[in-house]
Amino acid sequence: MSRLDARLGIWLLVAALAVAFVLLGSGLDMAYVIPRRLTRLAAIGVAGVCIGCSSVIFQTLTGNRILTPAIMGYEAVYLLFQALLILLIGTHSLILLGRHGNVWLSILLMLGYSWLLHRWLLRDGRQNVYLLLLVGLVLSLVLSTLTQFIQLKVSPGEFSILQGFNYASFNKAQPLQVAYSAVLAALACLVVRRTLPVLDVLALGRDQAIVLGVDHLRAVSVQMAVIAVLVAVSTSLIGPTAFMGVFVANLTYTLARTFRHRVTLPLASGVAMALFIVAQYLVEQAFNYNMSVNILINLVCGAYFLALMTRTRGTA
Amino acid sequence: MITLSHVSKAYGPKAVLTDVTVQFPTGRITSLIGPNGAGKTTLLMLIARLQQASAGELCLDGQAIGQWAVRDYAKRVATLRQTPDFNLRLTVDELVAFGRFPYSQGALTADDRRIIDEAIAFLSLEALRGQYVDELSGGQRQMAFLAMTIAQQTPYLLLDEPLNNLDMKHAVLIMRALRRLCDEHGRTVILVVHDINFAANYSDHIVAMKRGTVRFCGPVAEVIDETRLRELFDLDFEILPAGRGFVCNYFNPSLSPELP
């Protein structure tokens, strides 16, 4: 029954945090403060689902609990694109493309990158997920270095704009962007919903999945596509989250005490949302925006996870 | 019936199987024996469709195995691989339930439940049902995985070194279970086994391999003799009659004190 408690508990917690986040210190200002906070809350909801689900699914496919989709280089593509825009067109690019033009181009680029990577590496039945990971990692290193190279070439003003892209932030979110991000994420979730039992089988590994009658190559391709959509949506919405997903996924496994994706995926979404709300609240109220969500979450989760590992002697 | 004709498998330039033609009799236990690197496991993986042959044809019930739909094949052939590391948090009950996946796609029916119960009862694993698989001993874990394979209710069972790292008791338990599956349920069992005595005493049929080719095959009584085994393993053998069956002594045969 503790399983049920964790599931129910996390959503009660998310609900309580959400109410507190919107109302605390708002002065009930319906004209400006509350609508803005609701937008940020919605962005947190969408990003929570994206990061929670993509991390857990990615760890299932790779059979590895210390990885997130960031290793595949999606975020590096996003950052390189932003750097190239600034280098080639300068800060005008922000106006030229408009916020939404930039977002859609980023999403399309990340999806295209993922499609090329899979086409190249999963072709002719070479079903080696580790090769995919290795190439993804090397590519993301190369792309990040390129980005750094460009950052050193631009003016200090432009450099500070680029720095802003490096950290996750919910402050950039605009209602329209949150809306279409939500639609994309919902479509990805519909696919996941239909393949929940297959995900459970994929967790047993390639051989066992084939033995149990799963078309492994096809199933992995579908899930990788879902991950690409979720990561593209969250990265374009709030920026790169790097390895935050590791904490989210591992906290989820500890709370869920089961591998079933029917349980872990919603729970991971809830955990991510709760963390984001708390971090964003602290950024806004305690640190007056002089702090990034990444730093807070990595700090708090890292400490909590270490404590968990010591207390349970590594079985967490 | 599983038949292989002129099957070859190469990893890059290295040939693992060369021109293997062999049949596995239905309703019998067949043991694949031979030294390390003979290609036994590769042969089994080809039949399981976990790897693809470089050349030749494999047929299941008269149809090329590539032509079976993935899901239908999982209802005909169940495979148990070695399970060295397993770190998923799931119970024996949940593991065995996976055996029903080809039929129920995750939504268990009352029928599935009954079959899972039967598979667990068949191996007398009732006491372990609620335990987590990663907390079991090697022998118990192997039994749990075998129960999953049994729950898959396939006419054909493939097992890759099911006795690896098991103590004598669990090894005997597994072999007895396979014998009963064959005798009482008419299943066809093909296994890779290193212990020549288990192969000789529990199986009906032997396929002996060396360096990627089949050296000899046939019913146990016809093919197990000292000359053949010596040639196969490069070891001296002494075959001693026992109360039931016989024992192949390769530990310290009295025939010749020195190894070649």
Side-chain angles (χ1 to χ4, degrees), chain B residues 172-219:
Chain B
V172 169
L173 282 177
I174 296 247
M175 289 311 290
R176 283 204 182 137
L178 295 180
R179 198 62 259 176
R180 279 173 56 214
L181 278 172
C182 180
D183 295 342
E184 296 167 20
H185 299 260
R187 312 266 188 112
T188 305
V189 180
I190 304 171
L191 72 156
V192 173
V193 62
H194 271 296
D195 190 321
I196 183 70
N197 285 307
F198 274 119
N201 284 295
Y202 279 94
S203 46
D204 307 300
H205 201 79
I206 295 282
V207 172
M209 298 183 66
K210 191 172 181 178
R211 292 196 204 106
T213 56
V214 173
R215 286 303 158 97
F216 57 86
C217 62

Side-chain angles (χ1 to χ4, degrees), chain A residues 6-303:
Chain A
R7 285 151 85 180
L8 205 63
I10 196 78
W11 290 113
L12 287 176
L13 181 70
V14 168
L17 286 171
V19 172
F21 175 77
V22 173
L23 295 181
L24 274 186
S26 68
L28 293 179
D29 177 3
M30 297 302 276
Y32 183 75
V33 177
I34 289 189
R36 296 272 307 183
R37 285 191 182 177
L38 282 176
T39 307
R40 288 201 289 275
L41 186 67
I44 286 174
V46 174
V49 170
C50 288
I51 289 166
C53 292
S54 66
S55 303
V56 169
I57 295 174
F58 192 72
Q59 296 195 347
T60 293
L61 295 188
T62 53
N64 191 316
R65 285 176 49 176
I66 58 169
L67 294 177
T68 68
I71 200 171
M72 300 288 292
Y74 301 113
E75 300 179 344
V77 168
Y78 171 76
L79 290 174
L80 178 64
F81 175 59
Q82 300 306 330
L84 273 175
L85 276 183
I86 298 280
L87 178 76
L88 297 177
I89 325 184
T91 40
H92 306 297
S93 67
L94 298 180
I95 304 146
L96 195 70
L97 283 176
R99 179 88 185 112
H100 298 297
N102 188 341
V103 166
W104 279 107
L105 271 177
S106 304
I107 290 180
L108 288 177
L109 265 177
M110 284 185 268
L111 291 181
Y113 168 80
S114 146
W115 185 76
L116 280 178
L117 205 58
H118 295 162
R119 277 295 299 231
W120 176 31
L121 290 175
L122 291 179
R123 71 176 191 274
D124 63 45
R126 270 199 297 167
Q127 311 182 8
N128 193 340
V129 177
Y130 282 98
L131 187 67
L132 192 67
L133 288 181
L134 179 66
V135 174
L137 180 66
V138 170
L139 276 177
S140 71
L141 287 176
V142 170
L143 295 175
S144 311
T145 317
L146 267 178
T147 310
Q148 284 171 3
F149 182 74
I150 292 173
Q151 283 183 339
L152 297 175
K153 291 281 156 204
V154 298
S155 71
E158 293 168 335
F159 180 76
S160 72
I161 292 178
L162 281 181
Q163 275 292 304
F165 285 110
N166 274 326
Y167 298 106
S169 162
F170 296 100
N171 307 325
K172 321 176 216 176
Q174 291 173 1
L176 182 61
Q177 191 197 349
V178 175
Y180 57 66
S181 296
V183 171
L184 282 177
L187 287 176
C189 288
L190 275 180
V191 175
V192 173
R193 207 186 130 88
R194 286 186 49 209
T195 53
L196 281 176
V198 176
L199 274 173
D200 291 342
V201 177
L202 287 177
L204 297 174
R206 170 187 177 263
D207 288 358
Q208 198 61 60
I210 295 176
V211 166
L212 291 175
V214 169
D215 187 343
H216 186 258
L217 184 62
R218 194 171 151 269
V220 167
S221 301
V222 168
Q223 298 302 332
M224 281 293 189
V226 165
I227 289 173
V229 171
L230 291 173
V231 172
V233 166
S234 87
T235 308
S236 62
L237 185 63
I238 65 164
T241 52
F243 287 90
M244 243 185 254
V246 174
F247 298 123
V248 173
N250 282 289
L251 278 183
T252 303
Y253 303 142
T254 317
L255 291 171
R257 307 208 145 279
T258 172
F259 67 98
R260 292 208 180 272
H261 291 80
R262 188 163 32 84
V263 178
T264 54
L265 290 180
L267 196 59
S269 308
V271 167
M273 284 183 212
L275 284 172
F276 287 154
I277 295 175
V278 172
Q280 181 66 16
Y281 181 80
L282 288 176
V283 167
E284 289 179 16
Q285 309 283 335
F287 295 99
N288 198 22
Y289 295 95
N290 283 325
M291 179 59 74
S292 93
V293 173
N294 288 55
I295 296 175
L296 274 182
I297 289 187
N298 287 352
L299 204 64
V300 174
C301 293

Side-chain angles (χ1 to χ4, degrees), chain A residues 3 63 65 197-198 200-201 203-204 206-216 257-260, chain B residues 49-50 70-71 74 77-79 81 86 88-90 94 98-99 101-102 105-106 132 145 148 152:
Chain A
R3 204 184 281 179
R65 285 176 49 176
V198 176
D200 291 342
V201 177
L204 297 174
R206 170 187 177 263
D207 288 358
Q208 198 61 60
I210 295 176
V211 166
L212 291 175
V214 169
D215 187 343
H216 186 258
R257 307 208 145 279
T258 172
F259 67 98
R260 292 208 180 272
Chain B
R49 299 217 307 191
L50 294 175
V70 188
R71 217 172 127 180
V77 180
T79 308
R81 290 212 67 181
F86 189 81
L88 270 190
R89 195 80 185 147
L90 82 170
E94 289 172 315
F98 271 119
F101 189 82
Q105 300 293 302
Y132 285 101
F145 272 92
M148 167 174 70
Q152 216 173 320

